[in-house]
Amino acid sequence: EPEVTQTPSHQVTQMGQEVILRCVPISNHLYFYWYRQILGQKVEFLVSFYNNEISEKSEIFDDQFSVERPDGSNFTLKIRSTKLEDSAMYFCASSLTGYYNEQFFGPGTRLTVL
Amino acid sequence: KNEVEQSPQNLTAQEGEFITINCSYSVGISALHWLQQHPGGGIVSLFMLSSGKKKHGRLIATINIQEKHSSLHITASHPRDSAVYICAVIRMSGSRLTFGEGTQLTVNP
């Protein structure tokens, strides 16, 4: 069964460093998402991406964040200068279309900023 | 106020019990997801529905669009059902998911 994959599973970085989180969505899906979950809190939407551009973003997704689909398979989230409060689990998801379509989640990347 | 409210926050049951988790939302939606999150953190989609009722094994999900309410039922609960169950909605205006706080379910043998 096709699945969303994410690498790495755990990333530890120093405050101020850049990190890139990688996702491989399901191959025929067209909509891609990043969500995050700070420990003990609910999951929050960061950004959605369709047709090589951002379709929606939340207030969390400021200039420190960027997304890219560098090739036909990977979907990346870059945090330019990490802060302690960026420590969270980051989930990638994909769906076939954007509306009334089930989103499939990756296993997550746990980001720890020291 | 949260746009998606779940109750209860925590639920402990004995194996075999019938379980209900409720979700209320305050925005117009195109669909609602029920998701399961295990202790390792991974999220699995259980159901997506926009009307009526869906059943998968021992899990049943219902939604009442007029009342802006959905329920997730687990029949004959088992310790392996222990997880966090999350309600999330897709608003009419986009495709992003807006999540509830989750319900921590513990089923004791």
Side-chain angles (χ1 to χ4, degrees):
Chain A
E1 189 174 318
E3 57 182 18
V4 178
T5 59
Q6 289 185 242
T7 53
S9 55
H10 192 187
Q11 172 99 45
V12 181
T13 190
Q14 295 290 327
M15 193 168 57
Q17 295 296 305
E18 174 184 286
V19 294
I20 297 175
L21 310 184
R22 290 183 168 81
C23 168
V24 179
I26 294 172
S27 61
N28 63 336
H29 284 188
L30 302 177
Y31 281 76
F32 315 116
Y33 307 86
W34 283 103
Y35 296 93
R36 80 170 185 192
Q37 185 178 33
I38 294 169
L39 188 64
Q41 297 186 21
K42 65 179 179 180
V43 181
E44 301 171 290
F45 168 77
L46 291 177
V47 66
S48 61
F49 192 85
Y50 168 71
N51 200 25
N52 280 319
E53 58 183 32
I54 291 173
S55 50
E56 285 181 87
K57 61 181 182 177
S58 72
E59 56 280 358
I60 302 168
F61 194 87
D62 61 21
D63 292 344
Q64 291 298 313
F65 291 90
S66 62
V67 288
E68 197 178 31
R69 191 154 159 82
D71 53 43
S73 57
N74 289 283
F75 178 51
T76 61
L77 174 70
K78 183 193 289 186
I79 310 175
R80 288 193 184 82
S81 178
T82 49
K83 306 184 187 77
L84 295 175
E85 55 265 35
D86 294 327
S87 294
M89 184 77 111
Y90 288 81
F91 293 102
C92 173
S94 70
S95 64
L96 188 57
T97 68
Y99 300 97
Y100 190 60
N101 228 254
E102 193 170 2
Q103 292 184 27
F104 294 85
F105 286 78
T109 292
R110 183 166 298 285
L111 176 65
T112 303
V113 183
L114 303 175
Chain B
K1 187 181 184 297
N2 289 332
E3 292 177 344
V4 181
E5 298 272 3
Q6 286 186 236
S7 62
Q9 219 172 342
N10 293 284
L11 182 55
T12 300
Q14 288 300 121
E15 185 172 354
E17 284 184 8
F18 180 84
I19 285 159
T20 296
I21 299 169
N22 295 299
C23 175
S24 297
Y25 52 91
S26 57
V27 294
I29 69 168
S30 60
L32 180 145
H33 277 254
W34 280 103
L35 307 158
Q36 182 188 56
Q37 186 171 33
H38 278 283
I43 295 174
V44 174
S45 178
L46 299 173
F47 294 103
M48 190 188 69
L49 64 167
S50 60
S51 65
K53 177 176 169 177
K54 285 192 176 180
K55 185 176 191 292
H56 184 251
R58 294 179 295 104
L59 302 177
I60 303 165
T62 63
I63 189 167
N64 185 317
I65 293 289
Q66 286 73 33
E67 293 186 6
K68 295 190 168 150
H69 182 269
S70 176
S71 294
L72 176 68
H73 306 286
I74 305 175
T75 61
S77 59
H78 190 276
R80 66 173 174 266
D81 297 326
S82 298
V84 176
Y85 291 84
I86 303 171
C87 171
V89 301
I90 303 176
R91 295 186 197 190
M92 298 279 260
S93 55
S95 62
R96 63 157 77 173
L97 286 173
T98 301
F99 293 77
E101 302 274 353
T103 295
Q104 173 70 62
L105 172 65
T106 305
V107 182
N108 294 318

